[in-house]
Every structure is written in structure tokens, then in C-alpha cells.
Amino acid sequence: MKEKSSEHSEDQHHEAEIVTETFSEAAPDSIFNRFFLEVSSLATFTLRFFKEVFKPPYEFNELISQSFLIGYKSVSLVGITAFIMGLVLTIQSRPTLAKFGAESWLPAMVAVSIIREIGPAITALIFAGKVGSGIGAELASMNVTEQIDAMQVSGTNPFKFLVVTRVLAATLMLPLLVVLADAFGLFGSFVGVNVHGHVSTYLFFSQVFQSLQFQDLFPAVVKTFFFGFAVGIIGSYKGYNSSEGTEGVGKAANSAVVFASLMIFIIDMVAVQITSLFQS
Amino acid sequence: MTTDTRAIEIGHDNKQGGLAVVEMEHVKKSFGNNHVLRDINLVVHKGESLVILGQSGTGKSVLIKCIVGLVDPDDGKLVILGQDVSELKSKELIELRKKIGFLFQSGALYDSMTVRENLEFPLRRQIRSTPKETIDSLVKEAMRNVGLAESIDMTPSELSGGMRKRLGLARTLILKPEIMLYDEPTTGLDPITSKEISSLILEVQKIYDTSSVIITHDIDCARRTANRIIVLKDGICAAEGSYADLAKSEDAWIRSFFE
């Protein structure tokens, strides 16, 4: 009977719970062990994602629905935040640049900052807060109310239907949101520049585009796919493997945001190192 | 309280002896050091309504989750509709699951969907090429059979506890299962609604010609629905028989369920 368990991919979340319980009994105080157990569970979960994502049947309708919920419904939040971010960054940078007589560099400096780092990082963090917690709470709640079990009983692969679609939607939508956030951020910067002076739209944006190069844009966009994937997979992992009870729902949402945010910084750090290797 | 680990057979129902749809032999399941099912041996016959009674934590829910494949037994043999579950591949197991309906304790309705979408979901998943007209007629039929025809465009949050149970039942029945598993079907319901659900279980059994396994604490539900009752204790089948026979048992612990 036990040999069959490996074939029942749908049952892995139950097994993960059991492994965690058994482990907790064995070494309750070992933080390192807990950390490595968590990492190995997440790695197994991620491997399962890659195994399931290429296997038919493909859940296109659910993917479109999730892309709408995850992407389109985040547009206003991301847009407003990015606009304010560009505006504030410009207003706060102006006095420092003015001291060195480099005020004319303001559009270029803000553009490089927003496109290279601030746009992707801040948008990804907002995305982790809104989407990561949403996925974590939703799947945890479905777990607690036995909806995931019900899906499995009705012959649906819940991992494919719930996890694969959400992770893919998060991976595909975040880069689009970042591009949008960059645009709103630059517009905010343009408004910020014009708070204390007058710079025409043409002059501002020509300075912005002159200062940007392909190596500013390309790595910044590529890393956002990884950010999106991290938010989706961590949110799904936390929700899908949540403990029983309503307390588990809150914990899943909270830890999804914390771990996804941490992962965003780690990916960002690695991305910067890789980019700097090519630039040097 | 009895400490006998063997099943006490008290009387036999006329349904026994028919074609077996579920057979469990020496099934065991543990979670860490918690040995939930220690040695389960039972048979469910075609057309029979088997009620499983037992105190909380005796493994009743784990037992029916083993039958539907939500939990893998650690050891033992499980044969469903003539197929040894341990020998089935994933696809075959999914096919087998289509023949088993499961009514969850909470109803397990999809909150993000309307009543209609809840019912359409299993149909669309399992028979992807089903025409819309067929889906519509199956949905209406299932809703009619559980007496919820008026609530089709509501969301689960707008339904009462009894209606949620009915909807959960309708969603399960829409695939016309051969075996129905009920996990505490009357828990959390008032006595009148509990009575209605118990009657519905019997109606469903007649209309859909199903075999039923009902996990319950509700002795009134057991009395109304059972052809045969099994009492679980400490992870084994401690007693078996009809309602009347078990109610007259010489074992005070078994009798206490019926008092």
C-alpha cells in the first residue's frame, strides 16, 4: 500500500503535514532543522509545479481568470504607488543634486533608479503583500473547509487547478505590472520636476530615454519574472500546506508575505551580482 | 466498556451477502505515533446502507477517507468495486473516484462559485465535451432531487446549514456515483433538518441505486438510515449488527451509544 503513495501526487500535501508533525515531535527546538525541512518541502513543491505545468490537461480558462484577478485587479494599487514613488523620489533628490549643480541630471537619475531597481523591487513587494497573502489565505481557507479534498474527490487535480494556474498568473502578470509601474513612476517624476520649475514633457522624456540603455531595461524585466514566480509559489505553498483551523489561514497569509518579500530581496541581490558580472 | 479487540457480530441484516462494493482487510493507518486505524476489516454490500458509529478520534473519518483515496492506508487490502486500490495507477484511481461520492462534514462548497457553478464544476472537469444543454438538465435534475431548485443562482454564503448539506449532496450526486460516503451528514443541524437530511439519504439511495457508508454521531440518523451498523473503538471494528440488535447489546459501552 505504501508504494502507491508516490503515484498519488495529489496526496502530497497531506504527507507533507505528516512529515512536519513527525519532525516537530523529533526535534521541536531545532531551528536549523526546521529551516532545512521548510526549504526541502518548498523545493519539493516547486519541483512538483514544474512536473505538473507541462502535463495536460491545461487549465487555460482558470489561468485567464487568475491573470485577471492577480494582474488587472492590482493595476490601480500599483499605479498609484508608483506615481507617488516617482514624485517623492524626484522631490527628495532635487536638493541634493542642486547642491552639486547637477539639477539637470534629475530626470536621468530618477529614470535609472526607477527602471533598474525601485520600480521592480517596490512593485514586487506590493505584489507580495496583495497577491501573495491573497493566494496564501485563499488556498489555506480552501484547505480548512475541505474544498481541496472535495476537488480531489471529484477527479480534479487540485494542484494543477489551484497552484499551477496561480503561480503562472503571478509569473506572467508581475512583469507587466512592473512596466506599468515604471511608466507611472516616470510620470510621477515628471510632475515632481515641475513642482519647482518648468520642464517640458518632450525635454523630460528625451532626457529619460537618452539615459537608459538596454542593459538597464533587460535585466530589470527578466528578474521580475523570478519575483512573480517567487510570490506565486510561496503563497501557494503556504496556503496549500497550511495547518488545520482558522489560525492556519492567518498564519499562511502572513508567512506568505514575509517569505515572499525575503525571497524578492535575495533574488534581487543575486540578479544584481549577475548583471554586474556582464557589465564589467 | 469492553476491551475485546474482536468485532462482536450481533445479528445479520438481509442486505448482507450481496455483491461487495467495498472490502477492507486488515487496514492500518497511523499518523506518527498515533495509530488511528489498527486493524479494520469490513465489507459494504451493494445497495446497503452501512453506518459507522464511534467516539471522536476513533478514526471514522480516516476510514472513509481511505475508501475515497484521500488517505493512503499504511497496510492492508482495500478493494473497491472489485478493484484492488493498491494496484491502480493514478489515472485508474481517478476513474474509480468518479464512481464514489463524498459528502463532506462542512459541505466543502466552493465559496467563489455560485450554486450552479458548484454543480457544473465536477461535470465540466470530468466530461469536458458535455454539451451545455446536457449540463443544464443534469444540474436542474440534481437540484430538484435535493429540493433546492429555487436557489440555483445564490452563492454558498447565502445558504443555511441544511441547504449547504443538500447542495453538497447534489454536487456529489450529479456524477451518479455507485457508492456514497457521508461524513457526519447531520452534524450542526437542528433536529428537523437532521431528519430531513436522513430522509434525503434514503431517497438518494433509492433514486440513484447507491450503496452508502455513513459516519455519524447522530443516533437518530443511524436509526433512520442504517441497514447495518459498525461500532469503531480504538481503531478496530468493535461491534457489528442491526440497530435493534446493537441497542440490546449486553456490552454496556455499546449500549451506551443507543441510550
Side-chain angles (χ1 to χ4, degrees):
Chain A
M1 282 283 188
K2 268 188 172 174
E3 286 165 13
K4 183 170 65 68
S5 300
S6 59
E7 289 177 16
H8 291 193
S9 56
E10 305 95 307
D11 296 333
Q12 283 183 356
H13 72 285
H14 291 292
E15 286 161 16
E17 281 173 19
I18 295 161
V19 169
T20 312
E21 282 168 16
T22 312
F23 178 82
S24 304
E25 286 161 13
D29 298 317
S30 173
I31 294 168
F32 282 109
N33 283 350
R34 278 179 180 278
F35 173 76
F36 286 117
L37 181 81
E38 189 79 4
V39 170
S40 70
S41 296
L42 180 59
T44 311
F45 191 81
T46 309
L47 280 176
R48 189 176 169 197
F49 166 81
F50 284 112
K51 208 175 101 183
E52 300 274 5
V53 73
F54 299 110
K55 264 196 327 197
Y58 305 108
E59 306 286 355
F60 286 118
N61 289 342
E62 183 63 9
L63 176 62
I64 291 165
S65 161
Q66 286 303 321
S67 298
F68 175 79
L69 292 171
I70 287 173
Y72 180 74
K73 297 236 166 166
S74 304
V75 165
S76 53
L77 177 67
V78 166
I80 292 166
T81 315
F83 176 83
I84 295 168
M85 185 179 68
L87 182 77
V88 171
L89 183 67
T90 305
I91 292 171
Q92 294 214 336
S93 303
R94 177 191 283 274
T96 313
L97 288 177
K99 271 186 199 169
F100 297 98
E103 215 172 340
S104 61
W105 284 88
L106 193 56
M109 191 217 78
V110 172
V112 171
S113 306
I114 287 177
I115 301 291
R116 268 194 183 184
E117 189 53 46
I118 297 173
I122 298 288
T123 309
L125 289 173
I126 292 166
F127 193 74
K130 184 180 185 293
V131 174
S133 64
I135 293 174
E138 187 187 10
L139 295 190
S141 156
M142 289 184 81
N143 206 357
V144 168
T145 54
E146 297 178 303
Q147 291 177 51
I148 293 179
D149 284 346
M151 221 170 250
Q152 198 171 325
V153 167
S154 70
T156 301
N157 179 344
F159 192 93
K160 191 179 257 298
F161 187 79
L162 298 171
V163 175
V164 172
T165 52
R166 279 162 178 76
V167 176
L168 278 181
T171 310
L172 297 173
M173 288 300 109
L174 184 59
L176 294 178
L177 288 171
V178 168
V179 170
L180 190 85
D182 288 347
F184 273 93
L186 291 175
F187 180 65
S189 175
F190 170 71
V191 173
V193 165
N194 280 286
V195 168
H196 292 289
H198 178 72
V199 177
S200 70
T201 318
Y202 175 78
L203 181 62
F204 178 85
F205 283 102
S206 62
Q207 276 194 3
V208 163
F209 288 115
Q210 274 171 15
S211 66
L212 291 173
Q213 293 178 321
F214 180 72
Q215 60 259 41
D216 295 318
L217 208 62
F218 183 70
V221 172
V222 169
K223 71 181 177 187
T224 57
F225 284 97
F226 290 93
F227 290 165
F229 179 78
V231 171
I233 201 85
I234 291 170
S236 300
Y237 168 75
K238 288 290 177 187
Y240 204 74
N241 294 308
S242 69
S243 53
E244 296 287 323
T246 45
E247 194 190 353
V249 179
K251 275 186 184 170
N254 184 269
S255 55
V257 177
V258 172
F259 282 103
S261 304
L262 184 66
M263 191 53 77
I264 285 165
F265 285 116
I266 292 170
I267 293 169
D268 202 21
M269 188 178 69
V270 173
V272 166
Q273 295 298 321
I274 293 171
T275 310
S276 63
L277 278 179
F278 285 101
Q279 283 173 344
S280 59
Chain B
M1 274 197 173
T2 179
T3 51
D4 188 2
T5 55
R6 291 165 300 159
I8 305 162
E9 289 204 14
I10 305 168
H12 285 274
D13 184 75
N14 57 6
K15 289 277 182 189
Q16 280 187 296
L19 182 70
V21 289
V22 178
E23 292 168 81
M24 298 178 104
E25 284 178 27
H26 306 294
V27 169
K28 297 181 176 88
K29 180 68 193 175
S30 301
F31 296 97
N33 294 326
N34 184 12
H35 305 293
V36 180
L37 302 180
R38 295 203 300 177
D39 187 14
I40 295 292
N41 296 286
L42 67 83
V43 177
V44 183
H45 301 280
K46 186 161 172 56
E48 179 184 32
S49 179
L50 173 70
V51 167
I52 297 176
L53 286 175
Q55 287 177 299
S56 299
T58 47
K60 301 187 298 295
S61 294
V62 174
L63 192 151
I64 55 167
K65 283 183 178 176
C66 283
I67 296 174
V68 80
L70 285 171
V71 172
D72 281 336
D74 295 334
D75 198 7
K77 191 176 177 187
L78 175 57
V79 179
I80 297 172
L81 297 167
Q83 293 176 283
D84 187 337
V85 176
S86 65
E87 290 170 6
L88 296 180
K89 292 178 181 163
S90 287
K91 275 189 179 174
E92 293 167 330
L93 191 73
I94 289 170
E95 284 305 310
L96 181 64
R97 275 186 185 151
K98 290 178 188 175
K99 296 172 186 168
I100 306 173
F102 195 115
L103 179 64
F104 287 86
Q105 194 172 341
S106 60
L109 304 174
Y110 307 127
D111 296 332
S112 57
M113 301 179 192
T114 63
V115 168
R116 183 194 295 274
E117 287 165 344
N118 261 281
L119 291 172
E120 286 176 352
F121 184 82
L123 280 175
R124 290 193 190 282
R125 313 296 308 164
Q126 298 213 350
I127 319 157
R128 285 177 186 254
S129 54
T130 315
K132 199 179 177 313
E133 296 75 34
T134 312
I135 290 179
D136 281 347
S137 83
L138 285 170
V139 166
K140 280 180 188 158
E141 184 193 337
M143 292 296 281
R144 234 188 352 260
N145 286 340
V146 298
L148 274 182
E150 307 300 314
S151 318
I152 197 139
D153 291 316
M154 292 167 96
T155 58
S157 59
E158 294 172 288
L159 303 177
S160 67
M163 288 164 93
R164 290 172 73 90
K165 284 270 162 74
R166 282 168 185 269
L167 175 57
L169 187 55
R171 190 180 62 185
T172 307
L173 291 172
I174 207 159
L175 292 170
K176 300 195 169 23
E178 292 180 35
I179 303 167
M180 269 302 302
L181 308 175
Y182 300 87
D183 189 2
E184 311 266 9
T186 55
T187 297
L189 301 177
D190 62 86
I192 295 168
T193 314
S194 296
K195 215 176 276 181
E196 284 172 7
I197 295 290
S198 301
S199 306
L200 192 60
I201 289 171
L202 291 174
E203 269 176 48
V204 160
Q205 193 161 358
K206 273 183 203 159
I207 297 170
Y208 291 87
D209 190 25
T210 58
S211 311
S212 307
V213 180
I214 303 155
I215 299 288
T216 187
H217 285 120
D218 181 353
I219 206 68
D220 192 48
C221 171
R223 186 177 55 79
R224 286 170 182 277
T225 55
N227 294 131
R228 185 161 58 102
I229 296 175
I230 284 180
V231 183
L232 279 196
K233 189 190 177 195
D234 299 331
I236 59 149
C237 300
E240 181 182 344
S242 67
Y243 182 91
D245 294 332
L246 287 174
K248 289 184 289 189
S249 169
E250 288 176 7
D251 188 313
W253 180 77
I254 293 168
R255 226 175 32 248
S256 67
F257 277 97
F258 301 87
E259 286 166 354

